[in-house]
Amino acid sequence: MMPSDLFLRAVQTAEIELLGETLSVMALDFHLAHCFWQRRQQLCASFGCELIEIYVGDRLVACDRYQASVDL
């Protein structure tokens, strides 16, 4: 699968919510979460937010607040 196709799949299957200055993304799996982490700056610019938090299930796997990707 091409990287752009994979990102499109990630966007189509995720729950995305803007909470103030934070973009909260609930990805289906770690592979799709990684797609969001790779494009975090583009996503924040598009949504006009400062931070992004990426979850798989109820587990926070990456967060710009700490400039860290815990599991990706």
Side-chain angles (χ1 to χ4, degrees):
M1 195 177 286
M2 300 286 289
S4 59
D5 293 340
L6 186 59
F7 183 68
L8 180 60
R9 180 171 172 250
V11 170
Q12 290 174 336
T13 59
E15 291 181 34
I16 301 173
E17 186 174 9
L18 185 58
L19 305 167
E21 294 293 316
T22 303
L23 185 65
S24 180
V25 177
M26 178 80 69
L28 288 180
D29 59 35
F30 289 103
H31 191 68
L32 297 177
H34 182 71
C35 291
F36 285 108
W37 184 247
Q38 287 181 316
R39 296 193 184 199
R40 66 190 176 277
Q41 291 175 334
Q42 177 185 354
L43 287 165
C44 283
S46 295
F47 283 91
C49 62
E50 297 289 321
L51 301 169
I52 186 170
E53 296 176 339
I54 304 170
Y55 296 86
V56 174
D58 60 355
R59 183 176 183 181
L60 178 65
V61 295
C63 179
D64 259 8
R65 181 169 312 175
Y66 308 111
Q67 296 293 318
S69 164
V70 177
D71 293 317
L72 303 179

